[in-house]
Amino acid sequence: MTGPSAADGAARRSPGRQTRAQPASRFTPRERAVLRAHRTPRHVQAYLSALPYNWETAGRTLRTFRGVVREGTANCIEAVLAAATMLGQYGDPPLIVDLESQDGLDHELFVFQRYGRWGAVARSRDLGLHGRRPVFGTVHDLVMSYVDPYVDGSGRIVGYGLGDLDELVRGDWRLADHNVWQVERALYRMPHRRLRTSDQRYTRMLKRFLAFRETGRPITRRALRELYGPATSDWW
């Protein structure tokens, strides 16, 4: 585990880094059309949210942006690779946050800064784990916004890691035609900072979530606001 200063220090340095935009010739005409239509984090989040979730019914996958565009679906880590590729063409460094859960079902975010504030683009089976508007002062604050929505019966965030995909991964994580399992292995190796939250908070949120699930109500934006309060105004 890294200490707080290491994780947040890397985050503070990120705006000065130069991302490596890919030559237009590397993209297919269809991919270039997607890039032209989605130039901001809000646009990219909307694009990914509109895609069907990749349930991997035919076997596990870890597709690049190319695979996401080709197949028209994405799971959480595939969405991060797609977002990093798309926004990298417009200057954002490929920063990924891995949210470490007590049940081993981690979640990944593409994180970015606007005017010194942190936000995220993400895709999940759970609406509460999608992206966040750039309103958070630190990566730690951003991660904390996922603590309550992560509680679902077995999930609880216990740590997080921040890394640059270009530094973590060897190989073409942007446009390879094959599954890029090296990304998954890199996230396992990436240093993580332990995140401490109170047991009382966890227990309270777990009871609220289970009680809501018992009602059988659909998970709508209104229902999410009832569950998680005004913090949902910071969600895309």
Side-chain angles (χ1 to χ4, degrees), residues 13-86:
R13 290 193 298 270
S14 66
R17 295 189 67 259
Q18 294 296 314
T19 188
R20 293 203 296 269
Q22 302 300 293
S25 60
R26 291 205 64 204
F27 296 96
T28 67
R30 183 181 178 187
E31 291 164 355
R32 288 197 293 271
V34 171
L35 292 173
R36 286 194 299 270
H38 305 92
R39 296 169 177 263
T40 69
R42 181 186 292 274
H43 292 154
V44 173
Q45 181 67 66
Y47 169 74
L48 295 171
S49 295
L51 294 179
Y53 189 80
N54 175 16
W55 293 95
E56 302 172 283
T57 54
R60 294 183 64 224
T61 64
L62 208 170
R63 299 170 181 145
T64 64
F65 168 68
R66 173 154 292 160
V68 167
V69 173
R70 181 182 66 241
E71 302 298 331
T73 65
N75 59 31
C76 75
I77 192 167
E78 292 168 348
V80 167
L81 299 186
T85 301
M86 295 167 74

Side-chain angles (χ1 to χ4, degrees), residues 150-169:
Y150 218 97
V151 176
D152 66 352
S154 63
R156 180 181 183 181
I157 299 176
V158 294
Y160 70 93
L162 168 69
D164 183 310
L165 285 164
D166 279 338
E167 296 174 1
L168 291 171
V169 181

Side-chain angles (χ1 to χ4, degrees), residues 211-233:
F212 176 82
R213 190 166 65 180
E214 284 295 314
T215 68
R217 290 174 57 193
I219 302 293
T220 62
R221 294 289 298 198
R222 180 175 179 179
L224 289 173
R225 186 173 180 84
E226 290 179 17
L227 264 176
Y228 304 116
T232 57
S233 63

Side-chain angles (χ1 to χ4, degrees), residues 31-145:
E31 291 164 355
R32 288 197 293 271
V34 171
L35 292 173
R36 286 194 299 270
H38 305 92
R39 296 169 177 263
T40 69
R42 181 186 292 274
H43 292 154
V44 173
Q45 181 67 66
Y47 169 74
L48 295 171
S49 295
L51 294 179
Y53 189 80
N54 175 16
W55 293 95
E56 302 172 283
T57 54
R60 294 183 64 224
T61 64
L62 208 170
R63 299 170 181 145
T64 64
F65 168 68
R66 173 154 292 160
V68 167
V69 173
R70 181 182 66 241
E71 302 298 331
T73 65
N75 59 31
C76 75
I77 192 167
E78 292 168 348
V80 167
L81 299 186
T85 301
M86 295 167 74
L87 291 170
Q89 293 303 107
Y90 301 104
D92 282 292
L95 298 179
I96 186 170
V97 164
D98 176 66
L99 301 178
E100 186 177 30
S101 176
Q102 67 179 4
D103 60 5
L105 298 177
D106 291 6
H107 182 49
E108 282 73 44
L109 318 169
F110 170 78
V111 298
F112 64 92
Q113 275 192 306
R114 292 295 183 273
Y115 304 104
R117 312 296 284 182
W118 287 93
V121 174
R123 182 73 170 88
S124 172
R125 293 166 288 188
D126 302 306
L127 288 177
L129 302 184
H130 284 195
R132 299 290 189 264
R133 294 184 174 89
V135 299
F136 300 92
T138 67
V139 172
H140 179 272
D141 293 341
L142 173 63
V143 169
M144 289 298 293
S145 76

